[in-house]
Amino acid sequence: MSFWSATRWRQHLVLAHPTDRAVLLLEGSAGWPLPVLEMDALHPGVAEMIAGGVRERLGLDVGILGCLHHDFDRVTRIGESVRELENHSPAWTPAPPARWISADDLGSLTLAWPGHRPLLTSWLGGHCRAGAPWERHGWLNGAVGWIQSELWRHGLGTIEHVAQVRAWEFSTVLRLTAGAHRFFFKAVPAGREREMRVTRRIGERWPHLVAPVIASDVEQGWMLMAGVEGPSLEGISDVRRWEAAARAYAGLQIDWVDHTAELLTLGVRDLRPTCLATEVDACFADGPALSPGLRRDLRPPEIEALRKLSPVLVNACTELETRGIPNTLDHADLWASNIIDTANGPVIIDWEDACVSHPFFGFWFLLMSAEDLVDDPARAQSRIRDAYLEPWTRYASSAQLRAAFDLAQRLAPLCSAITFRLDVLPLLDASWELREFVPYFLRRLITAWASQTG
């Protein structure tokens, strides 16, 4: 089942001439359209599939820059995006019906999508939206140059291939090969450099549990990591591998119990239960966050139920703090897709949402992943939970741990909704469908506390 409101995407592609101010259009009987790719609704930051579609259809290599426009038809559930591309094949020439069109040419043409005219007029006039650094022409060359210098400095060879995996508001990710080795490069926008600090620091304490960081430039928000070999848990139904990952994650969290002050200095958000309680009312009063105009909007009775539940949740946060389980590092995005099952054990990737919080909150994502990915989910979830809790018996008995875990799991959707509201919604532009996550989390919160809402 697709999470997204859109079931299909039309990606309209703005491809620039390598030297002149001109855009590629296709001549058709109904007018001149931009090249377009149709695809199933996938991750909002999908880049490799777009680049592959352009290569297959037009025969040239491109980079994905920014999204210039987006729209969504709530009847057909088709999303429309206009994405700017960078031409990485300067010698390529279009074949009919494709042609380079200048600003002067555009005025005499009938466009297949008339709504694109003001956008293309502005773009051809040199008026481009200010976006993330990787959305600017030429940025990729500078980043690849830095990567190559670092690979040479570490004796790791010469780059042979570069593929852009992700491109959206939150990051761009490149996959590279050099010699017989694979590497990943990630860039994040200003203000989110904590991922570089946290990943490097975790790697210093637990080098086998994160991808090795080869180099980083925190000022630019750049990080180069060695690739790790193995499938993600998303593709594994053997519950024993999930149990191993759960134990390893618990061990990592316990190791950081006495170092939460250091984590906060690295820039992670403080989402300990007492801090979480201070955000409850503001979250439930944020109408656009609760009902952003998409498929999963909360209905008025649900919003009213949340507001009535607010004091119960605040008290539950306070109670959780008394259960004797110390706050520590929380990944906060521990979906099965972020755990790689290697021959040497699990490797946890993508620490951009790391925070200081109750340790059991973030485990909710892994248990949710198991709902769809393993056989007999209820039994598997119990096994994964027990494997995770076993290392925590130094702090409480098994019965006490299970009681605290159950309470934390009922509060976990609240933590996730507040995190999204504070950290994700302010950055959203083209990836508008992520606005569905706040109502999605809060609806699960209502279900978890149904007995308290009457």
Side-chain angles (χ1 to χ4, degrees):
M1 180 180 70
S2 172
F3 178 85
W4 312 111
S5 279
T7 55
R8 296 283 293 171
W9 275 105
R10 289 196 189 103
Q11 305 281 358
H12 303 268
L13 309 175
V14 174
L15 177 66
H17 189 280
T19 57
D20 301 332
R21 199 64 184 173
V23 65
L24 190 72
L25 294 180
L26 310 177
E27 185 175 11
S29 58
W32 292 73
L34 292 163
V36 63
L37 297 176
E38 294 210 20
M39 58 182 64
D40 292 335
L42 298 169
H43 187 286
V46 62
E48 193 166 20
M49 184 172 290
I50 294 175
V54 173
R55 188 179 305 110
E56 179 180 346
R57 181 174 176 183
L58 298 176
L60 78 160
D61 292 323
V62 298
I64 313 304
L65 300 179
C67 182
L68 303 178
H69 176 75
H70 54 83
D71 200 3
F72 173 57
D73 187 319
R74 288 171 175 78
V75 176
T76 65
R77 291 182 59 194
I78 294 176
E80 307 277 354
S81 285
V82 181
R83 294 190 181 268
E84 185 179 12
L85 309 181
E86 185 172 33
N87 189 341
H88 293 164
S89 299
W92 179 84
T93 56
R99 277 180 47 194
W100 293 118
I101 301 298
S102 68
D104 291 339
D105 299 328
L106 186 67
S108 63
L109 299 181
T110 299
L111 298 184
W113 295 81
H116 291 171
R117 184 176 298 280
L119 184 151
L120 291 176
T121 300
S122 178
W123 185 86
L124 287 167
H127 305 293
C128 299
R129 61 184 287 275
W134 52 86
E135 296 180 2
R136 300 167 190 160
H137 288 266
W139 177 90
L140 181 63
N141 289 336
V144 171
W146 178 83
I147 295 167
Q148 183 61 84
S149 295
E150 293 298 332
L151 291 176
W152 281 335
R153 187 164 69 88
H154 290 84
L156 295 172
T158 300
I159 295 172
E160 299 166 1
H161 179 71
V162 178
Q164 189 178 22
V165 180
R166 287 276 184 269
W168 60 333
E169 297 97 313
F170 303 96
S171 64
T172 192
V173 177
L174 308 178
R175 185 179 62 248
L176 310 101
T177 55
H181 303 289
R182 186 173 60 166
F183 304 91
F184 286 89
F185 167 86
K186 186 171 187 177
V188 299
R192 297 181 71 87
E193 304 90 346
R194 63 179 180 246
E195 181 179 2
M196 284 69 202
R197 301 186 189 98
V198 171
T199 305
R200 181 177 284 281
R201 188 69 184 99
I202 294 173
E204 291 171 355
R205 295 182 66 91
W206 285 71
H208 300 299
L209 202 54
V210 298
V213 177
I214 295 168
S216 62
D217 184 329
V218 174
E219 185 175 338
Q220 296 200 79
W222 291 0
M223 181 167 59
L224 176 64
M225 297 162 286
V228 291
E229 297 300 326
S232 75
L233 281 188
E234 199 173 36
I236 296 175
S237 60
D238 185 350
V239 179
R240 293 172 297 178
R241 308 312 304 155
W242 291 64
E243 292 174 310
R247 291 189 195 95
Y249 180 58
L252 170 67
Q253 289 184 298
I254 291 169
D255 183 59
W256 279 96
V257 162
D258 295 327
H259 303 280
T260 54
E262 179 186 355
L263 288 169
L264 293 172
T265 64
L266 295 176
V268 305
R269 185 176 287 281
D270 187 347
L271 284 173
R272 288 174 286 193
T274 50
C275 296
L276 195 68
T278 66
E279 296 289 343
V280 173
D281 288 341
C283 181
F284 293 172
D286 189 342
L290 305 184
S291 299
L294 298 171
R295 186 162 57 110
R296 286 183 171 81
D297 284 8
L298 293 175
R299 299 181 298 274
E302 293 174 309
I303 296 173
E304 182 62 24
L306 283 172
R307 292 172 181 168
K308 288 181 179 179
L309 192 59
S310 176
V312 176
L313 297 172
V314 170
N315 290 336
C317 288
T318 301
E319 179 188 346
L320 186 60
E321 287 275 30
T322 69
R323 295 295 183 96
I325 313 302
N327 296 302
T328 186
L329 173 67
D330 183 10
H331 184 280
D333 197 30
L334 198 68
W335 297 100
S337 57
N338 282 331
I339 301 178
I340 309 301
D341 188 60
T342 78
N344 296 318
V347 170
I348 302 174
I349 62 172
D350 204 0
W351 288 89
E352 65 179 294
D353 297 315
C355 63
V356 171
S357 189
H358 192 283
F360 299 169
F361 281 160
F363 203 72
W364 182 63
F365 290 104
L366 191 63
L367 292 184
M368 273 201 297
S369 297
E371 291 176 359
D372 299 320
L373 300 176
V374 298
D375 298 329
D376 194 356
R379 181 170 179 270
Q381 286 172 323
S382 294
R383 287 178 55 180
I384 297 164
R385 177 205 62 191
D386 291 346
Y388 173 70
L389 291 180
E390 192 280 329
W392 291 98
T393 52
R394 68 180 68 185
Y395 295 103
S397 69
S398 295
Q400 291 170 327
L401 286 170
R402 283 194 293 271
F405 187 84
D406 289 345
L407 179 57
Q409 294 305 285
R410 294 172 70 196
L411 286 169
L414 174 68
C415 185
S416 298
I418 288 173
T419 300
F420 248 72
R421 177 177 175 269
L422 295 176
D423 270 3
V424 176
L425 296 189
L427 286 180
L428 285 185
D429 178 21
S431 307
W432 52 270
E433 284 196 285
L434 267 67
R435 298 185 188 279
E436 289 204 282
F437 271 106
V438 171
Y440 169 75
F441 292 143
L442 292 179
R443 187 167 281 121
R444 291 195 68 133
L445 180 72
I446 293 169
T447 300
W449 291 85
S451 62
Q452 302 290 328
T453 61

